[in-house]
Amino acid sequence: MPSPRDTHGPIVKTGPTAGEVRSKNQDGQWRAKRSDAGKPRGEKATSKLGSFLNK
């Protein structure tokens, strides 16, 4: 795995871009991890129409 010292930035630890350098926002700041990262997914949200069709 590359070192942040070699890549001049933080390395992504998990997810589809693991091992790559974290990207930056338009203002130049490093992107933060998602607030829901690592949390289990809940049940799928259904619309009112979807719940009607499931009955």
Side-chain angles (χ1 to χ4, degrees), residues 33-53:
K33 289 183 75 171
R34 286 176 49 134
S35 62
D36 62 351
K39 296 180 184 174
R41 293 185 182 186
E43 292 184 22
K44 286 189 175 181
T46 57
S47 66
K48 291 180 182 178
L49 179 61
S51 62
F52 173 75
L53 296 175

Side-chain angles (χ1 to χ4, degrees), residues 10-52:
I11 306 299
V12 178
K13 293 182 181 178
T14 60
T17 58
E20 296 180 14
V21 178
R22 192 172 297 281
S23 58
K24 291 186 176 184
N25 289 324
Q26 288 181 342
D27 64 358
Q29 289 187 327
W30 294 108
R31 286 181 60 95
K33 289 183 75 171
R34 286 176 49 134
S35 62
D36 62 351
K39 296 180 184 174
R41 293 185 182 186
E43 292 184 22
K44 286 189 175 181
T46 57
S47 66
K48 291 180 182 178
L49 179 61
S51 62
F52 173 75

